[in-house]
Amino acid sequence: PSDSFALDAERPAIRFADVGGMDAVKDEIALKIIFPLTKPDLYKAYGKKTGGGILLYGPPGCGKTYLARATAGEINAAFISVGLNDVLDLYLGNSERKLHDLFQQARALAPSVLFFDEVDALGASRNDLRHSASRTLVNQFLDELDGVRYDNEGILVLAATNSPWFLDSAFRRPGRFDRLIFVGPPDAAAREAILTLYLRNVPNTGIDTAALAKRTEAYSGADLKAVIDRAVEGKLLQAFKSGQAVPLSTSDLLEVIKTQKPSVREWFASA
Ligand code: ATP
């Protein structure tokens, strides 16, 4: 394993308005980590403590990472994404210092959203080769987490996992990832919102998004985006062949839905 990894930092241009559905989740994120940063006086006035991070969990493709990026976009913060499997490899490479450097870099870029993906990789109930090495790393990680004074340093901590049951309970203590939020497959209204978002810039004949939402039960946000991408590719191919650009129609999308099935059922079956 290498002894360093490239820090993946960006200032996302997307905001909450670019995330379809999830109104309750957005409210929770705002209350728990955005407003404490932007309106600290209000929290003081209500005697409410701030701090702690949010753990998002749920099936793949339902928008955990996207929502975390949008959180950074909401407050013009840097978004730093860390895959914890990479950190584990790093640790095995004997470079635990890098974990500290990572938090230091988040401080240097503040305000920043520090996003830990695959956080279950640090789980105590994981039974793989990495497990024996991970105890020290977990402790160091928790120390660093406790050291983030997020109200005056401007670091928001979010984490995501597909398998929360692997996560060490030490992560869930107050001040750490003390809020657990399920990010599930979008309901019909959210599916309609997501379809509308991704159809914004596609020439179309007026799409019946309500009808499509009805036919896409259990599709994730990523699945819905893929349906539109596929349909658009079909239109492009048609345009290249005929030399004529034809707008996208509802039936084009229904055609794709027939063959492209939802992906999240597998997650529920294994969960
Ligand atoms: P994983 O567990 O695989 O990391 P995830 O839950 O983090 O999955 P994302 O990577 O955030 O999923 O979602 C994949 C893509 O699907 C996003 O980049 C985005 O384009 C789209 N997407 C998912 N959900 C939504 C949504 N609610 N609104 C808009 N786009 C969405």
Side-chain angles (χ1 to χ4, degrees), residues 119-260:
V119 78
D120 52 280
L122 290 177
S125 37
R126 270 267 139 126
N127 199 8
D128 57 30
L129 275 180
R130 288 160 163 172
H131 183 211
S132 56
S134 70
R135 195 66 249 168
T136 323
L137 184 69
V138 168
N139 288 336
Q140 197 203 337
F141 183 83
L142 294 174
D143 279 351
E144 295 288 351
L145 211 56
D146 293 342
V148 176
R149 295 266 50 91
Y150 108 128
D151 38 355
N152 53 35
E153 289 187 321
I155 302 176
L156 280 56
V157 183
L158 281 168
T161 176
N162 301 134
S163 330
W165 39 87
F166 286 132
L167 199 67
D168 193 314
S169 61
F171 283 87
R172 304 288 327 283
R173 300 228 178 96
R176 294 176 179 166
F177 298 111
D178 46 16
R179 195 64 62 90
L180 186 66
I181 303 180
F182 178 62
V183 176
D187 61 17
R191 293 198 293 277
E192 205 177 331
I194 293 168
L195 289 165
T196 305
L197 277 171
Y198 287 112
L199 287 165
R200 269 186 303 197
N201 301 315
V202 180
N204 64 69
T205 56
I207 305 289
D208 187 350
T209 49
L212 290 166
K214 251 186 223 152
R215 305 259 194 119
T216 46
E217 170 94 53
Y219 281 65
S220 69
D223 290 338
L224 293 171
K225 183 172 182 294
V227 165
I228 294 175
D229 286 347
R230 274 277 276 287
V232 167
E233 279 168 17
K235 284 287 137 183
L236 275 174
L237 201 58
Q238 208 180 322
F240 289 138
K241 285 183 177 165
S242 69
Q244 225 179 11
V246 181
L248 193 72
S249 69
T250 304
S251 60
D252 292 327
L253 290 160
L254 286 171
E255 213 38 53
V256 175
I257 285 167
K258 273 189 204 155
T259 55
Q260 193 169 306

Side-chain angles (χ1 to χ4, degrees), residues 18-20 22 59-66 117 162 194 198 221-222 225:
D18 299 295
V19 182
M22 297 204 219
C62 290
K64 296 183 292 297
T65 307
Y66 203 61
D117 207 356
N162 301 134
I194 293 168
Y198 287 112
K225 183 172 182 294

